[in-house]
Amino acid sequence: MSASDLVRLSASDLVPPSASDLVRLDVTGAVARLTLARPARHNALVPELVDGLVAALDRIAGASLDALVLAADGRSFSTGGDLAGFAAVPRGQRRAYADRLVGGLNRAILALIELPFPTIARVQGPVTGGALGLVLACDLAAMSRTAFLAPYYVAVGFAPDGGWTALLPDRIGMARAREIQLLNRHVDADEAARLGIVTAAVDPDALDPTVDGWLATLAGHEAGAILATRELLMPAEATAAIATRLAAEKARFLDMVDEAAVDAGLARFLNAPRIQKVEP
């Protein structure tokens, strides 16, 4: 499938009907843009949204493209798993719901890593919970100074998912990854750039020019050399190791999701004052 073939496809062609309103995939020239489109809920992740991400990524996996930009509508990039959605699922059914959600998120993360062209995350707002994995899976990430990162797992009672243990320690070191998660600390854009979680922290009005500049630079480089660089930096055995670690995150998440402590944590978190927190 060529890029020109993809241009003629609509979003409803690219993802299942149940997910077509939650994810958009547009291709202009040799650049694909994949957008989380649930802004009224801060792009919180639900099974239909991650299924749509996976379907869209599958459709472009064989395309001849210069790059993919992963973006989001609204104020937030994504607040991770929809906690109100989790709270609405009765205990006893929550494990199956989480299996589909976390399993789909893991597939999306691995699909981003395995694409044969560079990926850029455009992070205009907060990234919390498992949504961080979508950013970490990209080759480059530009983050607005209006955004921040935060885990929230210990506040709610979930085990970490979305690469917080599978990807983040390799990026910033075990000690710093442990500190951020155990203390449930917010990381602003400038610190995220200093730590290497994202490539650049920029003012909001510089976000699109930064992404566009990277796209222009990539388009001017030899595609084969870019592919070789990416494959050497992330060989098949490294991707397999990440898949194993993501599977371990999912297994621990499923083990804990039906515990009574999660009910209490969800109620406490959803009813807490909204202080430097994004909650749909």
Side-chain angles (χ1 to χ4, degrees):
M1 179 179 294
S2 68
S4 60
D5 291 329
L6 285 169
V7 171
R8 292 192 291 271
L9 298 175
S10 68
S12 60
D13 295 321
L14 292 162
V15 295
S18 60
S20 60
D21 294 332
L22 303 179
V23 175
R24 292 196 311 277
L25 178 59
D26 305 291
V27 178
T28 302
V31 175
R33 188 179 184 92
L34 182 55
T35 305
L36 311 182
R38 200 182 179 219
R41 299 287 295 168
H42 296 278
N43 300 306
L45 305 178
V46 291
E48 294 79 9
L49 191 152
V50 296
D51 288 350
L53 277 175
V54 172
L57 290 166
D58 285 348
R59 290 301 299 270
I60 62 171
S64 178
L65 297 171
D66 287 342
L68 166 73
V69 176
L70 180 63
D73 289 339
R75 295 192 296 118
S76 303
F77 181 83
S78 174
T79 53
D82 190 329
L83 297 185
F86 267 108
V89 178
R91 285 177 63 193
Q93 300 177 33
R94 201 175 288 157
R95 183 181 175 93
Y97 178 89
D99 185 42
R100 183 180 170 197
L101 177 61
V102 180
L105 176 60
N106 287 354
R107 288 191 296 276
I109 291 169
L110 291 169
L112 281 165
I113 291 171
E114 293 171 345
L115 285 175
F117 40 79
T119 53
I120 298 171
R122 178 192 180 277
V123 183
Q124 88 288 9
V127 184
T128 66
L132 180 64
L134 300 174
V135 177
L136 294 175
C138 291
D139 297 304
L140 302 168
M143 186 175 185
S144 168
R145 289 194 170 93
T146 59
F148 66 86
L149 312 171
Y152 291 131
Y153 296 102
V154 295
V156 180
F158 289 136
D161 69 337
W164 280 90
T165 66
L167 292 169
L168 187 63
D170 288 344
R171 185 74 63 88
I172 67 173
M174 185 64 71
R176 189 53 57 89
R178 183 181 288 123
E179 174 253 334
I180 290 170
Q181 293 180 70
L182 292 179
L183 300 181
N184 192 36
R185 190 164 67 77
H186 289 233
V187 177
D188 66 26
D190 286 310
E191 183 181 7
R194 286 196 302 271
L195 291 175
I197 300 174
V198 299
T199 314
V202 299
D203 292 334
D205 59 0
L207 188 59
D208 286 325
T210 298
V211 171
D212 290 343
W214 290 346
L215 289 171
T217 298
L218 290 168
H221 290 164
E222 206 280 316
I226 288 176
L227 178 61
T229 301
R230 294 180 74 250
E231 288 179 343
L232 288 167
L233 287 169
M234 186 63 72
E237 57 268 27
T239 304
I242 290 169
T244 298
R245 295 173 73 177
L246 288 171
E249 286 186 345
K250 176 187 166 187
R252 194 62 177 269
F253 194 101
L254 296 184
D255 285 344
M256 296 180 64
V257 75
D258 259 338
E259 293 181 359
V262 170
D263 286 326
L266 283 169
R268 182 173 61 249
F269 188 85
L270 291 171
N271 294 321
R274 303 300 191 255
I275 299 174
Q276 203 188 355
K277 177 175 92 169
V278 176
E279 170 56 34

